[in-house]
Short mmCIF file of all heavy atoms in Angstrom, two decimals:
data_model
loop_
_atom_site.label_atom_id
_atom_site.label_comp_id
_atom_site.label_asym_id
_atom_site.label_seq_id
_atom_site.Cartn_x
_atom_site.Cartn_y
_atom_site.Cartn_z
N MET A 928 -95.98 73.44 -44.91
CA MET A 928 -96.17 74.07 -46.23
C MET A 928 -96.75 75.48 -46.04
O MET A 928 -97.58 75.70 -45.16
CB MET A 928 -97.13 73.21 -47.06
CG MET A 928 -97.22 73.67 -48.50
SD MET A 928 -98.63 72.94 -49.36
CE MET A 928 -97.94 71.37 -49.86
N ALA A 929 -96.29 76.39 -46.86
CA ALA A 929 -96.77 77.77 -46.76
C ALA A 929 -98.26 77.83 -47.09
O ALA A 929 -98.78 77.00 -47.82
CB ALA A 929 -95.99 78.65 -47.72
N LYS A 930 -98.87 78.83 -46.51
CA LYS A 930 -100.31 79.00 -46.77
C LYS A 930 -100.54 80.34 -47.45
O LYS A 930 -99.73 81.25 -47.36
CB LYS A 930 -101.06 78.98 -45.45
CG LYS A 930 -100.93 77.66 -44.74
CD LYS A 930 -102.29 77.21 -44.25
CE LYS A 930 -102.20 75.78 -43.80
NZ LYS A 930 -103.14 75.43 -42.79
N LEU A 931 -101.67 80.42 -48.10
CA LEU A 931 -102.07 81.67 -48.75
C LEU A 931 -103.24 82.24 -47.97
O LEU A 931 -104.21 81.54 -47.69
CB LEU A 931 -102.52 81.39 -50.18
CG LEU A 931 -101.54 80.63 -51.06
CD1 LEU A 931 -102.22 80.23 -52.36
CD2 LEU A 931 -100.31 81.49 -51.35
N LYS A 932 -103.09 83.51 -47.63
CA LYS A 932 -104.20 84.20 -46.96
C LYS A 932 -105.06 84.81 -48.06
O LYS A 932 -104.59 85.68 -48.80
CB LYS A 932 -103.61 85.31 -46.08
CG LYS A 932 -104.17 85.30 -44.71
CD LYS A 932 -103.56 86.36 -43.85
CE LYS A 932 -104.19 86.23 -42.48
NZ LYS A 932 -103.53 86.99 -41.47
N VAL A 933 -106.28 84.36 -48.16
CA VAL A 933 -107.16 84.81 -49.24
C VAL A 933 -108.33 85.59 -48.65
O VAL A 933 -108.93 85.16 -47.67
CB VAL A 933 -107.70 83.60 -50.04
CG1 VAL A 933 -108.56 84.06 -51.20
CG2 VAL A 933 -106.55 82.74 -50.55
N LYS A 934 -108.61 86.74 -49.27
CA LYS A 934 -109.75 87.55 -48.80
C LYS A 934 -110.58 88.00 -49.97
O LYS A 934 -110.05 88.31 -51.04
CB LYS A 934 -109.24 88.82 -48.09
CG LYS A 934 -108.76 88.56 -46.69
CD LYS A 934 -108.44 89.86 -45.98
CE LYS A 934 -107.67 89.57 -44.70
NZ LYS A 934 -107.07 90.73 -44.11
N VAL A 935 -111.87 88.07 -49.75
CA VAL A 935 -112.79 88.65 -50.74
C VAL A 935 -113.42 89.89 -50.12
O VAL A 935 -114.00 89.83 -49.03
CB VAL A 935 -113.90 87.64 -51.12
CG1 VAL A 935 -114.81 88.26 -52.18
CG2 VAL A 935 -113.32 86.33 -51.61
N ASP A 936 -113.28 91.00 -50.79
CA ASP A 936 -113.88 92.25 -50.31
C ASP A 936 -115.34 92.30 -50.77
O ASP A 936 -115.62 92.50 -51.97
CB ASP A 936 -113.09 93.44 -50.87
CG ASP A 936 -113.59 94.76 -50.31
OD1 ASP A 936 -114.77 94.84 -49.89
OD2 ASP A 936 -112.80 95.72 -50.30
N TRP A 937 -116.26 92.09 -49.84
CA TRP A 937 -117.67 92.04 -50.22
C TRP A 937 -118.21 93.40 -50.66
O TRP A 937 -119.27 93.48 -51.27
CB TRP A 937 -118.50 91.48 -49.06
CG TRP A 937 -118.47 89.98 -49.01
CD1 TRP A 937 -117.76 89.15 -49.84
CD2 TRP A 937 -119.18 89.12 -48.12
NE1 TRP A 937 -117.98 87.83 -49.51
CE2 TRP A 937 -118.85 87.78 -48.45
CE3 TRP A 937 -120.06 89.34 -47.06
CZ2 TRP A 937 -119.36 86.68 -47.77
CZ3 TRP A 937 -120.57 88.23 -46.39
CH2 TRP A 937 -120.24 86.92 -46.74
N ASP A 938 -117.51 94.49 -50.35
CA ASP A 938 -117.94 95.80 -50.87
C ASP A 938 -117.67 95.89 -52.37
O ASP A 938 -118.33 96.65 -53.08
CB ASP A 938 -117.20 96.94 -50.16
CG ASP A 938 -117.66 97.08 -48.71
OD1 ASP A 938 -118.82 96.71 -48.41
OD2 ASP A 938 -116.87 97.54 -47.89
N LEU A 939 -116.67 95.13 -52.83
CA LEU A 939 -116.32 95.16 -54.25
C LEU A 939 -116.97 94.03 -55.05
O LEU A 939 -117.19 94.16 -56.25
CB LEU A 939 -114.79 95.08 -54.42
CG LEU A 939 -113.98 96.26 -53.88
CD1 LEU A 939 -112.48 95.97 -54.03
CD2 LEU A 939 -114.34 97.54 -54.61
N CYS A 940 -117.23 92.92 -54.41
CA CYS A 940 -117.77 91.73 -55.11
C CYS A 940 -119.13 92.03 -55.71
O CYS A 940 -120.03 92.54 -55.04
CB CYS A 940 -117.87 90.56 -54.13
SG CYS A 940 -118.58 89.07 -54.88
N ILE A 941 -119.29 91.71 -57.01
CA ILE A 941 -120.57 91.95 -57.68
C ILE A 941 -121.32 90.64 -57.96
O ILE A 941 -122.22 90.59 -58.80
CB ILE A 941 -120.36 92.75 -58.99
CG1 ILE A 941 -119.37 92.04 -59.92
CG2 ILE A 941 -119.91 94.17 -58.69
CD1 ILE A 941 -119.32 92.61 -61.34
N SER A 942 -120.91 89.58 -57.31
CA SER A 942 -121.64 88.29 -57.35
C SER A 942 -121.76 87.72 -58.76
O SER A 942 -122.78 87.10 -59.08
CB SER A 942 -123.05 88.44 -56.76
OG SER A 942 -123.00 89.05 -55.49
N ASP A 943 -120.74 87.91 -59.59
CA ASP A 943 -120.87 87.37 -60.95
C ASP A 943 -120.46 85.90 -61.05
O ASP A 943 -120.67 85.26 -62.07
CB ASP A 943 -120.08 88.22 -61.95
CG ASP A 943 -118.59 88.16 -61.71
OD1 ASP A 943 -118.15 87.54 -60.73
OD2 ASP A 943 -117.85 88.74 -62.53
N GLY A 944 -119.86 85.38 -60.00
CA GLY A 944 -119.58 83.94 -59.94
C GLY A 944 -118.34 83.49 -60.69
O GLY A 944 -118.07 82.30 -60.80
N VAL A 945 -117.56 84.42 -61.23
CA VAL A 945 -116.37 84.04 -62.01
C VAL A 945 -115.39 83.23 -61.16
O VAL A 945 -114.89 82.19 -61.59
CB VAL A 945 -115.68 85.30 -62.61
CG1 VAL A 945 -114.32 84.96 -63.17
CG2 VAL A 945 -116.56 85.91 -63.68
N CYS A 946 -115.13 83.68 -59.95
CA CYS A 946 -114.11 83.00 -59.13
C CYS A 946 -114.56 81.60 -58.73
O CYS A 946 -113.76 80.67 -58.78
CB CYS A 946 -113.75 83.83 -57.91
SG CYS A 946 -115.13 84.20 -56.82
N TYR A 947 -115.81 81.44 -58.36
CA TYR A 947 -116.18 80.08 -57.96
C TYR A 947 -116.43 79.16 -59.14
O TYR A 947 -116.43 77.94 -58.99
CB TYR A 947 -117.29 80.01 -56.90
CG TYR A 947 -118.46 80.96 -56.95
CD1 TYR A 947 -119.56 80.67 -57.72
CD2 TYR A 947 -118.46 82.10 -56.18
CE1 TYR A 947 -120.66 81.53 -57.72
CE2 TYR A 947 -119.55 82.97 -56.18
CZ TYR A 947 -120.65 82.68 -56.96
OH TYR A 947 -121.73 83.53 -56.95
N ALA A 948 -116.59 79.73 -60.34
CA ALA A 948 -116.61 78.88 -61.54
C ALA A 948 -115.19 78.40 -61.86
O ALA A 948 -114.97 77.25 -62.22
CB ALA A 948 -117.18 79.65 -62.72
N LEU A 949 -114.22 79.30 -61.69
CA LEU A 949 -112.82 78.96 -62.04
C LEU A 949 -112.13 78.15 -60.95
O LEU A 949 -111.26 77.34 -61.25
CB LEU A 949 -112.01 80.25 -62.25
CG LEU A 949 -112.26 81.02 -63.54
CD1 LEU A 949 -111.52 82.34 -63.49
CD2 LEU A 949 -111.82 80.20 -64.74
N CYS A 950 -112.46 78.38 -59.70
CA CYS A 950 -111.73 77.76 -58.60
C CYS A 950 -112.68 77.33 -57.47
O CYS A 950 -112.64 77.88 -56.37
CB CYS A 950 -110.67 78.74 -58.09
SG CYS A 950 -109.58 78.01 -56.86
N PRO A 951 -113.53 76.34 -57.77
CA PRO A 951 -114.51 75.90 -56.76
C PRO A 951 -113.86 75.20 -55.56
O PRO A 951 -114.53 74.99 -54.55
CB PRO A 951 -115.42 74.94 -57.55
CG PRO A 951 -114.61 74.50 -58.71
CD PRO A 951 -113.66 75.62 -59.04
N GLN A 952 -112.58 74.84 -55.69
CA GLN A 952 -111.89 74.23 -54.54
C GLN A 952 -111.74 75.23 -53.40
O GLN A 952 -111.55 74.85 -52.25
CB GLN A 952 -110.48 73.76 -54.93
CG GLN A 952 -110.42 72.69 -55.99
CD GLN A 952 -110.21 73.27 -57.38
OE1 GLN A 952 -110.82 74.28 -57.74
NE2 GLN A 952 -109.35 72.63 -58.16
N VAL A 953 -111.79 76.53 -53.73
CA VAL A 953 -111.54 77.57 -52.72
C VAL A 953 -112.74 78.51 -52.53
O VAL A 953 -113.04 78.91 -51.42
CB VAL A 953 -110.29 78.40 -53.11
CG1 VAL A 953 -110.09 79.59 -52.17
CG2 VAL A 953 -109.05 77.51 -53.12
N PHE A 954 -113.43 78.84 -53.63
CA PHE A 954 -114.50 79.84 -53.55
C PHE A 954 -115.86 79.19 -53.79
O PHE A 954 -115.98 78.23 -54.57
CB PHE A 954 -114.28 80.94 -54.61
CG PHE A 954 -112.96 81.64 -54.49
CD1 PHE A 954 -111.89 81.25 -55.27
CD2 PHE A 954 -112.78 82.69 -53.59
CE1 PHE A 954 -110.65 81.89 -55.17
CE2 PHE A 954 -111.56 83.34 -53.48
CZ PHE A 954 -110.50 82.94 -54.28
N GLU A 955 -116.89 79.73 -53.15
CA GLU A 955 -118.26 79.27 -53.38
C GLU A 955 -119.20 80.46 -53.23
O GLU A 955 -118.82 81.52 -52.74
CB GLU A 955 -118.63 78.17 -52.38
CG GLU A 955 -118.67 78.68 -50.94
CD GLU A 955 -119.04 77.60 -49.93
OE1 GLU A 955 -118.98 76.41 -50.25
OE2 GLU A 955 -119.40 77.99 -48.80
N ALA A 956 -120.44 80.24 -53.67
CA ALA A 956 -121.43 81.31 -53.56
C ALA A 956 -121.90 81.43 -52.11
O ALA A 956 -122.30 80.45 -51.49
CB ALA A 956 -122.62 80.99 -54.46
N GLY A 957 -121.83 82.63 -51.59
CA GLY A 957 -122.32 82.91 -50.25
C GLY A 957 -123.62 83.69 -50.32
O GLY A 957 -124.33 83.61 -51.33
N PRO A 958 -123.93 84.47 -49.29
CA PRO A 958 -125.16 85.24 -49.29
C PRO A 958 -125.23 86.18 -50.49
O PRO A 958 -124.24 86.82 -50.84
CB PRO A 958 -125.06 86.07 -48.00
CG PRO A 958 -123.93 85.52 -47.23
CD PRO A 958 -123.09 84.67 -48.13
N ASP A 959 -126.37 86.22 -51.16
CA ASP A 959 -126.57 87.08 -52.35
C ASP A 959 -125.58 86.77 -53.46
O ASP A 959 -125.31 87.63 -54.30
CB ASP A 959 -126.47 88.57 -51.99
CG ASP A 959 -127.43 88.98 -50.89
OD1 ASP A 959 -128.53 88.41 -50.85
OD2 ASP A 959 -127.08 89.85 -50.09
N GLY A 960 -125.00 85.59 -53.46
CA GLY A 960 -124.04 85.23 -54.51
C GLY A 960 -122.66 85.81 -54.32
O GLY A 960 -121.77 85.60 -55.13
N LYS A 961 -122.45 86.54 -53.23
CA LYS A 961 -121.10 87.05 -52.94
C LYS A 961 -120.18 85.85 -52.76
O LYS A 961 -120.60 84.80 -52.25
CB LYS A 961 -121.09 87.87 -51.65
CG LYS A 961 -122.03 89.06 -51.69
CD LYS A 961 -121.33 90.33 -52.03
CE LYS A 961 -122.27 91.51 -51.89
NZ LYS A 961 -121.89 92.64 -52.68
N SER A 962 -118.94 86.01 -53.16
CA SER A 962 -117.99 84.90 -53.06
C SER A 962 -117.52 84.73 -51.62
O SER A 962 -117.14 85.69 -50.95
CB SER A 962 -116.80 85.20 -53.96
OG SER A 962 -115.79 84.24 -53.74
N GLN A 963 -117.53 83.48 -51.15
CA GLN A 963 -116.95 83.20 -49.84
C GLN A 963 -115.99 82.03 -49.96
O GLN A 963 -115.99 81.30 -50.95
CB GLN A 963 -118.04 82.93 -48.81
CG GLN A 963 -118.83 81.67 -49.04
CD GLN A 963 -119.95 81.48 -47.99
OE1 GLN A 963 -120.43 82.44 -47.40
NE2 GLN A 963 -120.35 80.24 -47.79
N ILE A 964 -115.17 81.87 -48.93
CA ILE A 964 -114.20 80.77 -48.91
C ILE A 964 -114.93 79.49 -48.47
O ILE A 964 -115.74 79.53 -47.55
CB ILE A 964 -113.06 81.09 -47.92
CG1 ILE A 964 -112.44 82.48 -48.19
CG2 ILE A 964 -111.99 80.02 -47.94
CD1 ILE A 964 -111.86 82.68 -49.56
N VAL A 965 -114.62 78.39 -49.12
CA VAL A 965 -115.27 77.12 -48.74
C VAL A 965 -114.95 76.79 -47.28
O VAL A 965 -113.91 77.17 -46.75
CB VAL A 965 -114.86 75.95 -49.67
CG1 VAL A 965 -115.32 76.19 -51.10
CG2 VAL A 965 -113.36 75.70 -49.63
N GLU A 966 -115.87 76.06 -46.67
CA GLU A 966 -115.79 75.82 -45.23
C GLU A 966 -114.44 75.25 -44.78
O GLU A 966 -113.90 75.63 -43.74
CB GLU A 966 -116.92 74.89 -44.80
CG GLU A 966 -117.11 74.87 -43.31
CD GLU A 966 -118.29 74.03 -42.87
OE1 GLU A 966 -118.95 73.40 -43.72
OE2 GLU A 966 -118.53 74.00 -41.65
N GLN A 967 -113.91 74.36 -45.57
CA GLN A 967 -112.64 73.68 -45.24
C GLN A 967 -111.50 74.65 -44.94
O GLN A 967 -110.65 74.37 -44.10
CB GLN A 967 -112.28 72.79 -46.43
CG GLN A 967 -111.10 71.89 -46.19
CD GLN A 967 -110.76 71.06 -47.42
OE1 GLN A 967 -111.44 71.15 -48.46
NE2 GLN A 967 -109.73 70.26 -47.32
N TYR A 968 -111.48 75.78 -45.65
CA TYR A 968 -110.35 76.71 -45.51
C TYR A 968 -110.76 78.03 -44.87
O TYR A 968 -109.94 78.95 -44.76
CB TYR A 968 -109.74 77.00 -46.89
CG TYR A 968 -109.28 75.77 -47.61
CD1 TYR A 968 -109.72 75.51 -48.91
CD2 TYR A 968 -108.42 74.87 -47.01
CE1 TYR A 968 -109.32 74.38 -49.59
CE2 TYR A 968 -108.02 73.73 -47.68
CZ TYR A 968 -108.47 73.49 -48.97
OH TYR A 968 -108.07 72.36 -49.62
N ARG A 969 -111.99 78.12 -44.45
CA ARG A 969 -112.53 79.40 -43.97
C ARG A 969 -111.93 79.81 -42.63
O ARG A 969 -111.62 78.96 -41.78
CB ARG A 969 -114.05 79.26 -43.82
CG ARG A 969 -114.81 80.56 -43.79
CD ARG A 969 -116.30 80.29 -43.74
NE ARG A 969 -116.78 79.63 -44.95
CZ ARG A 969 -117.90 78.92 -45.02
NH1 ARG A 969 -118.66 78.76 -43.96
NH2 ARG A 969 -118.26 78.37 -46.15
N GLY A 970 -111.76 81.12 -42.44
CA GLY A 970 -111.30 81.64 -41.17
C GLY A 970 -112.47 82.08 -40.31
O GLY A 970 -113.57 81.50 -40.39
N ALA A 971 -112.26 83.12 -39.52
CA ALA A 971 -113.30 83.58 -38.60
C ALA A 971 -114.49 84.17 -39.34
O ALA A 971 -115.62 84.15 -38.85
CB ALA A 971 -112.71 84.63 -37.65
N ASN A 972 -114.24 84.70 -40.53
CA ASN A 972 -115.31 85.28 -41.35
C ASN A 972 -115.39 84.54 -42.67
O ASN A 972 -114.38 84.03 -43.16
CB ASN A 972 -114.99 86.76 -41.64
CG ASN A 972 -114.87 87.56 -40.37
OD1 ASN A 972 -115.80 87.66 -39.59
ND2 ASN A 972 -113.69 88.11 -40.12
N PRO A 973 -116.59 84.49 -43.27
CA PRO A 973 -116.75 83.72 -44.51
C PRO A 973 -115.95 84.27 -45.69
O PRO A 973 -115.68 83.55 -46.65
CB PRO A 973 -118.26 83.78 -44.79
CG PRO A 973 -118.78 84.89 -43.95
CD PRO A 973 -117.86 85.04 -42.78
N TRP A 974 -115.58 85.54 -45.64
CA TRP A 974 -114.88 86.16 -46.77
C TRP A 974 -113.36 86.03 -46.67
O TRP A 974 -112.61 86.58 -47.47
CB TRP A 974 -115.25 87.64 -46.90
CG TRP A 974 -114.94 88.47 -45.68
CD1 TRP A 974 -113.73 89.04 -45.37
CD2 TRP A 974 -115.81 88.81 -44.62
NE1 TRP A 974 -113.82 89.70 -44.17
CE2 TRP A 974 -115.10 89.58 -43.68
CE3 TRP A 974 -117.17 88.53 -44.35
CZ2 TRP A 974 -115.67 90.08 -42.51
CZ3 TRP A 974 -117.72 89.04 -43.19
CH2 TRP A 974 -116.98 89.80 -42.29
N GLU A 975 -112.86 85.30 -45.69
CA GLU A 975 -111.41 85.16 -45.56
C GLU A 975 -111.05 83.73 -45.17
O GLU A 975 -111.87 83.01 -44.57
CB GLU A 975 -110.86 86.13 -44.52
CG GLU A 975 -111.42 85.85 -43.14
CD GLU A 975 -110.89 86.79 -42.07
OE1 GLU A 975 -110.26 87.79 -42.39
OE2 GLU A 975 -111.13 86.47 -40.91
N GLY A 976 -109.83 83.35 -45.52
CA GLY A 976 -109.41 82.01 -45.15
C GLY A 976 -107.94 81.78 -45.44
O GLY A 976 -107.24 82.67 -45.94
N GLU A 977 -107.49 80.58 -45.10
CA GLU A 977 -106.11 80.17 -45.36
C GLU A 977 -106.13 78.92 -46.22
O GLU A 977 -106.74 77.92 -45.87
CB GLU A 977 -105.40 79.87 -44.03
CG GLU A 977 -105.04 81.14 -43.29
CD GLU A 977 -104.06 80.85 -42.15
OE1 GLU A 977 -103.93 79.68 -41.76
OE2 GLU A 977 -103.43 81.81 -41.69
N VAL A 978 -105.42 79.02 -47.33
CA VAL A 978 -105.50 78.00 -48.36
C VAL A 978 -104.11 77.40 -48.56
O VAL A 978 -103.12 78.14 -48.59
CB VAL A 978 -106.01 78.66 -49.67
CG1 VAL A 978 -106.01 77.69 -50.81
CG2 VAL A 978 -107.40 79.25 -49.46
N PRO A 979 -103.99 76.08 -48.71
CA PRO A 979 -102.68 75.49 -48.95
C PRO A 979 -102.06 76.00 -50.26
O PRO A 979 -102.78 76.27 -51.22
CB PRO A 979 -102.94 73.99 -49.04
CG PRO A 979 -104.37 73.77 -48.79
CD PRO A 979 -105.06 75.09 -48.66
N GLU A 980 -100.75 76.11 -50.24
CA GLU A 980 -100.03 76.69 -51.38
C GLU A 980 -100.24 75.91 -52.69
O GLU A 980 -100.13 76.47 -53.77
CB GLU A 980 -98.53 76.75 -51.05
CG GLU A 980 -97.78 77.79 -51.84
CD GLU A 980 -96.32 77.83 -51.41
OE1 GLU A 980 -95.83 76.85 -50.81
OE2 GLU A 980 -95.68 78.86 -51.68
N ASP A 981 -100.54 74.63 -52.58
CA ASP A 981 -100.70 73.87 -53.83
C ASP A 981 -101.97 74.27 -54.60
O ASP A 981 -102.15 73.85 -55.74
CB ASP A 981 -100.61 72.35 -53.60
CG ASP A 981 -101.63 71.83 -52.61
OD1 ASP A 981 -102.45 72.62 -52.11
OD2 ASP A 981 -101.60 70.61 -52.33
N LEU A 982 -102.80 75.11 -54.00
CA LEU A 982 -103.96 75.65 -54.73
C LEU A 982 -103.68 77.05 -55.28
O LEU A 982 -104.60 77.74 -55.73
CB LEU A 982 -105.19 75.68 -53.83
CG LEU A 982 -105.80 74.30 -53.52
CD1 LEU A 982 -106.88 74.42 -52.45
CD2 LEU A 982 -106.39 73.67 -54.78
N GLU A 983 -102.41 77.44 -55.29
CA GLU A 983 -102.06 78.81 -55.69
C GLU A 983 -102.49 79.13 -57.13
O GLU A 983 -103.01 80.21 -57.39
CB GLU A 983 -100.54 79.02 -55.55
CG GLU A 983 -100.13 80.46 -55.85
CD GLU A 983 -98.69 80.75 -55.46
OE1 GLU A 983 -97.94 79.80 -55.17
OE2 GLU A 983 -98.33 81.94 -55.46
N ASP A 984 -102.28 78.18 -58.06
CA ASP A 984 -102.63 78.46 -59.46
C ASP A 984 -104.13 78.75 -59.60
O ASP A 984 -104.54 79.68 -60.29
CB ASP A 984 -102.27 77.26 -60.35
CG ASP A 984 -100.77 77.16 -60.56
OD1 ASP A 984 -100.05 78.09 -60.13
OD2 ASP A 984 -100.32 76.15 -61.12
N CYS A 985 -104.90 77.94 -58.91
CA CYS A 985 -106.35 78.08 -58.94
C CYS A 985 -106.77 79.43 -58.34
O CYS A 985 -107.55 80.19 -58.94
CB CYS A 985 -106.88 76.89 -58.17
SG CYS A 985 -108.57 76.81 -57.70
N VAL A 986 -106.21 79.78 -57.20
CA VAL A 986 -106.53 81.04 -56.53
C VAL A 986 -106.11 82.23 -57.40
O VAL A 986 -106.85 83.20 -57.55
CB VAL A 986 -105.84 81.11 -55.14
CG1 VAL A 986 -105.92 82.51 -54.56
CG2 VAL A 986 -106.46 80.12 -54.19
N GLU A 987 -104.92 82.13 -57.99
CA GLU A 987 -104.41 83.22 -58.83
C GLU A 987 -105.26 83.42 -60.07
O GLU A 987 -105.48 84.55 -60.52
CB GLU A 987 -102.95 82.95 -59.23
CG GLU A 987 -101.95 83.40 -58.17
CD GLU A 987 -102.08 84.89 -57.84
OE1 GLU A 987 -101.99 85.73 -58.75
OE2 GLU A 987 -102.28 85.21 -56.67
N GLN A 988 -105.72 82.32 -60.63
CA GLN A 988 -106.61 82.41 -61.80
C GLN A 988 -107.88 83.18 -61.43
O GLN A 988 -108.32 84.06 -62.17
CB GLN A 988 -107.00 80.99 -62.21
CG GLN A 988 -106.74 80.68 -63.66
CD GLN A 988 -107.35 79.34 -64.03
OE1 GLN A 988 -107.39 78.41 -63.22
NE2 GLN A 988 -107.81 79.24 -65.25
N ALA A 989 -108.44 82.86 -60.28
CA ALA A 989 -109.64 83.54 -59.82
C ALA A 989 -109.35 85.00 -59.53
O ALA A 989 -110.11 85.89 -59.92
CB ALA A 989 -110.20 82.83 -58.58
N ARG A 990 -108.24 85.25 -58.86
CA ARG A 990 -107.90 86.62 -58.49
C ARG A 990 -107.74 87.50 -59.73
O ARG A 990 -108.27 88.60 -59.80
CB ARG A 990 -106.59 86.65 -57.67
CG ARG A 990 -106.23 88.03 -57.13
CD ARG A 990 -104.87 88.04 -56.47
NE ARG A 990 -103.78 87.85 -57.40
CZ ARG A 990 -103.27 88.79 -58.18
NH1 ARG A 990 -103.76 90.01 -58.16
NH2 ARG A 990 -102.28 88.52 -59.01
N THR A 991 -107.01 87.00 -60.72
CA THR A 991 -106.76 87.84 -61.90
C THR A 991 -108.01 87.97 -62.77
O THR A 991 -108.17 88.95 -63.48
CB THR A 991 -105.58 87.30 -62.74
OG1 THR A 991 -105.83 85.95 -63.08
CG2 THR A 991 -104.28 87.39 -61.99
N ALA A 992 -108.90 86.99 -62.71
CA ALA A 992 -110.12 87.06 -63.53
C ALA A 992 -111.22 87.89 -62.88
O ALA A 992 -112.14 88.33 -63.57
CB ALA A 992 -110.65 85.65 -63.79
N CYS A 993 -111.14 88.12 -61.59
CA CYS A 993 -112.19 88.88 -60.91
C CYS A 993 -112.27 90.29 -61.51
O CYS A 993 -111.29 91.02 -61.52
CB CYS A 993 -111.90 88.97 -59.41
SG CYS A 993 -113.07 90.06 -58.55
N PRO A 994 -113.44 90.68 -62.03
CA PRO A 994 -113.54 91.95 -62.75
C PRO A 994 -113.43 93.19 -61.86
O PRO A 994 -113.20 94.29 -62.36
CB PRO A 994 -114.93 91.88 -63.41
CG PRO A 994 -115.70 90.93 -62.56
CD PRO A 994 -114.71 89.94 -62.04
N THR A 995 -113.59 93.01 -60.56
CA THR A 995 -113.56 94.18 -59.68
C THR A 995 -112.36 94.21 -58.74
O THR A 995 -112.25 95.10 -57.89
CB THR A 995 -114.85 94.22 -58.80
OG1 THR A 995 -114.84 93.08 -57.94
CG2 THR A 995 -116.09 94.23 -59.65
N GLY A 996 -111.47 93.25 -58.88
CA GLY A 996 -110.30 93.22 -58.00
C GLY A 996 -110.65 92.96 -56.55
O GLY A 996 -109.97 93.44 -55.64
N ALA A 997 -111.72 92.20 -56.32
CA ALA A 997 -112.20 91.98 -54.95
C ALA A 997 -111.37 90.96 -54.16
O ALA A 997 -111.47 90.89 -52.96
CB ALA A 997 -113.66 91.53 -54.99
N ILE A 998 -110.58 90.16 -54.90
CA ILE A 998 -109.84 89.07 -54.24
C ILE A 998 -108.39 89.50 -54.00
O ILE A 998 -107.72 89.97 -54.91
CB ILE A 998 -109.86 87.80 -55.11
CG1 ILE A 998 -111.30 87.35 -55.32
CG2 ILE A 998 -109.02 86.68 -54.49
CD1 ILE A 998 -111.45 86.24 -56.36
N THR A 999 -107.94 89.35 -52.76
CA THR A 999 -106.53 89.60 -52.47
C THR A 999 -105.91 88.32 -51.91
O THR A 999 -106.55 87.55 -51.20
CB THR A 999 -106.32 90.75 -51.46
OG1 THR A 999 -107.12 90.52 -50.31
CG2 THR A 999 -106.71 92.08 -52.06
N VAL A 1000 -104.64 88.13 -52.25
CA VAL A 1000 -103.91 86.92 -51.83
C VAL A 1000 -102.57 87.34 -51.26
O VAL A 1000 -101.84 88.13 -51.86
CB VAL A 1000 -103.66 85.99 -53.04
CG1 VAL A 1000 -102.96 84.71 -52.59
CG2 VAL A 1000 -104.96 85.65 -53.76
N GLU A 1001 -102.28 86.83 -50.07
CA GLU A 1001 -100.99 87.12 -49.43
C GLU A 1001 -100.34 85.81 -49.06
O GLU A 1001 -100.99 84.92 -48.51
CB GLU A 1001 -101.25 87.82 -48.10
CG GLU A 1001 -101.01 89.30 -48.07
CD GLU A 1001 -101.40 89.84 -46.70
OE1 GLU A 1001 -100.76 89.45 -45.71
OE2 GLU A 1001 -102.36 90.63 -46.65
N LYS A 1002 -99.06 85.70 -49.33
CA LYS A 1002 -98.34 84.49 -48.92
C LYS A 1002 -97.87 84.64 -47.49
O LYS A 1002 -97.34 85.68 -47.12
CB LYS A 1002 -97.15 84.28 -49.85
CG LYS A 1002 -97.12 82.90 -50.45
CD LYS A 1002 -95.97 82.74 -51.38
CE LYS A 1002 -96.44 81.91 -52.58
NZ LYS A 1002 -95.40 81.59 -53.52
N GLU A 1003 -98.05 83.61 -46.70
CA GLU A 1003 -97.63 83.70 -45.29
C GLU A 1003 -96.27 83.08 -45.12
O GLU A 1003 -95.95 82.10 -45.76
CB GLU A 1003 -98.62 82.96 -44.41
CG GLU A 1003 -99.99 83.59 -44.46
CD GLU A 1003 -100.80 83.25 -43.22
OE1 GLU A 1003 -100.94 82.06 -42.91
OE2 GLU A 1003 -101.27 84.20 -42.56
S1 SF4 B 819 -115.00 86.99 -59.39
FE1 SF4 B 819 -114.88 88.78 -58.02
S2 SF4 B 819 -116.81 89.87 -58.35
FE2 SF4 B 819 -117.07 87.80 -59.14
S3 SF4 B 819 -117.99 86.60 -57.48
FE3 SF4 B 819 -115.76 86.36 -57.36
S4 SF4 B 819 -115.04 87.95 -55.95
FE4 SF4 B 819 -117.12 88.49 -56.59
#
């Protein structure tokens, strides 16, 4: 199954918690409330990971709701 490469730009993230409220399957509060990828899908860094495609709706909801455009999603 295809995976989604998800990244959170911590320079842009303002820790408002919108993404982890909308999509807790993928995002959680990290240091200072910055959004990080949950451990299950996390890559080498807490702000990036690979998520199964069946969570695309959830990830997209978070991405479009993020007020600063900090979340990027790429299909692999
Ligand atoms: S919605 Fe955007 S600004 Fe808010 S915590 Fe998530 S990544 Fe950060």
Side-chain angles (χ1 to χ4, degrees):
M928 189 194 276
K930 297 226 169 152
L931 306 170
K932 228 178 181 168
V933 182
K934 282 187 193 167
V935 181
D936 185 336
W937 278 2
D938 290 333
L939 295 176
C940 178
I941 56 168
S942 309
D943 66 355
V945 169
C946 59
Y947 39 86
L949 286 173
C950 187
Q952 298 96 318
V953 174
F954 303 96
E955 65 180 16
D959 304 326
K961 301 262 187 204
S962 172
Q963 66 182 25
I964 308 301
V965 296
E966 194 176 3
Q967 187 182 359
Y968 303 126
R969 200 176 295 158
N972 300 299
W974 59 84
E975 63 179 11
E977 285 193 343
V978 175
E980 204 177 20
D981 58 2
L982 287 171
E983 185 169 12
D984 286 353
C985 169
V986 168
E987 275 303 304
Q988 233 188 326
R990 185 186 68 79
T991 55
C993 174
T995 64
I998 299 170
T999 52
V1000 182
E1001 257 176 64
K1002 233 178 219 184
E1003 296 203 306

